[in-house]
């Protein structure tokens, strides 16, 4: 965890590494009211793919890579692009550390393979209308078990989790939007059909209106 955040990638994106400053992670953990030590987390859990919150992080990270592929070096060189994704991925990483710390204290059982299948299903169908019944069937569990898994292991509801994933994607896209993008277009593409409700949820999650994020992306420099 170096003193400056950065991302590196090679031709063809065969290798990607994300570096986040330790003091930044500590600050984000404090915002989450968590006193976990990120270095202790790295020593014990680095490389594990089934940690609480890892699915959300993976979705956000893959979305970042997709935008790099689509925008190229010109987009990657923009300071607001790096800042937006540094903030978003840092939050997801801090969330993983905080949830893992809570799991350690409470003795919660490790995430089940069924829940991992559900998170993969959400990632694959993020922009579609997601049927909870279809998701449960894909994971070979009942609808009631699906709801219990999210409540017990993620501390949220299935619909709230899906909404959070979509909001994060909208935020990341608006932060690097071009002249053709509009709030309505991006929100609709990410699965929000009621723009009024979307605006309220966005402001609650990010502390600003989606139009504010869009204007920031188009601000020179």
């Amino acid at each position: 965890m170096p003193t400056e955040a950065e991302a590196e990638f090679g031709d063809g994106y065969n290798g990607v590494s994300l570096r986040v400053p330790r003091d930044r992670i500590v600050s984000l953990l404090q915002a989450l009211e968590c006193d976990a030590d990120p270095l202790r987390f790295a020593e014990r859990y680095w490389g594990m793919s089934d940690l609480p919150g890892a699915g959300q992080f993976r979705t956000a990270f893959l979305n970042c890579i997709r935008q790099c592929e689509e925008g190229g070096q010109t987009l990657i060189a923009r300071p607001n692009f790096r800042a937006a994704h540094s903030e978003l991925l840092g939050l997801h990483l801090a969330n993983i550390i905080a949830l893992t710390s809570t799991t350690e204290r409470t003795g919660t059982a490790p995430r089940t393979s069924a829940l991992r299948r559900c998170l993969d299903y959400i990632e694959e169908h993020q922009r579609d209308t997601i049927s909870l019944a279809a998701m449960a069937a894909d994971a070979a569990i009942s609808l009631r078990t699906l709801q219990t898994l999210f409540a017990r292991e993620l501390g949220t509801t299935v619909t709230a989790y899906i909404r959070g994933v979509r909001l994060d994607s909208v935020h990341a896209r608006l932060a690097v939007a071009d002249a053709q993008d509009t709030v309505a277009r991006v929100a609709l593409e990410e699965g929000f059909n009621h723009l009024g409700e979307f605006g309220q949820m966005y402001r609650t999650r990010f502390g600003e209106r989606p139009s504010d994020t869009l204007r920031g992306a188009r601000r020179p420099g």
Side-chain angles (χ1 to χ4, degrees):
M1 296 183 181
T3 56
E4 296 184 0
E6 58 180 289
E8 300 175 346
F9 54 92
D11 292 341
Y13 302 95
N14 293 319
V16 181
S17 65
L18 173 70
R19 302 182 182 183
V20 184
R22 178 174 179 267
D23 58 352
R24 179 56 179 153
I25 294 297
V26 170
S27 175
L28 291 169
L29 286 170
Q30 291 174 345
L32 295 173
E33 299 183 351
C34 175
D35 59 359
D37 181 0
L39 291 182
R40 179 175 179 272
F41 167 84
E43 291 172 356
R44 298 192 60 180
Y45 298 103
W46 199 257
M48 296 179 62
S49 61
D50 60 348
L51 296 172
Q56 288 175 296
F57 178 87
R58 182 170 180 267
T59 297
F61 193 54
L62 291 177
N63 184 55
C64 175
I65 294 174
R66 177 180 59 79
Q67 292 187 30
C68 289
E69 292 174 333
E70 294 174 353
Q73 289 287 350
T74 301
L75 175 63
I76 297 168
R78 294 172 61 179
N80 57 350
F81 177 87
R82 297 196 302 272
H85 284 288
S86 174
E87 180 74 12
L88 177 60
L89 295 174
L91 281 169
H92 280 300
L93 180 55
N95 186 53
I96 291 174
I97 298 174
L99 290 173
T100 302
S101 175
T102 300
T103 297
E104 285 183 337
R105 292 196 302 269
T106 60
T108 304
R111 174 175 296 170
T112 65
S113 59
L115 183 55
R116 287 195 294 271
R117 284 185 63 87
C118 291
L119 298 182
D120 288 342
Y121 186 93
I122 292 172
E123 179 181 325
E124 294 170 5
H125 301 275
Q126 179 180 325
R127 296 186 176 185
D128 306 325
T129 299
I130 297 179
S131 164
L132 299 191
M135 188 194 310
D138 182 76
I141 57 177
S142 68
L143 185 57
R144 182 174 181 179
T145 299
L146 170 69
Q147 295 167 333
T148 300
L149 282 175
F150 274 75
R152 186 185 67 205
E153 300 195 29
L154 299 181
T156 187
T157 64
V158 185
T159 53
Y161 180 91
I162 296 171
R163 183 168 60 244
V165 169
R166 288 172 171 167
L167 285 170
D168 289 343
S169 292
V170 173
H171 182 263
R173 289 184 59 185
L174 290 179
V176 295
D178 56 31
Q180 286 72 42
D181 286 324
T182 65
V183 170
R185 175 184 173 182
V186 173
L188 290 171
E189 288 180 352
E190 293 298 333
F192 292 98
N193 296 318
H194 303 286
L195 297 182
E197 294 179 2
F198 156 75
Q200 294 175 351
M201 292 186 293
Y202 187 98
R203 189 165 187 172
T204 298
R205 189 172 183 86
F206 301 109
E208 64 178 9
R209 296 173 300 178
S211 57
D212 296 331
T213 308
L214 184 62
R215 277 195 296 270
R218 293 173 177 169
R219 189 176 299 124

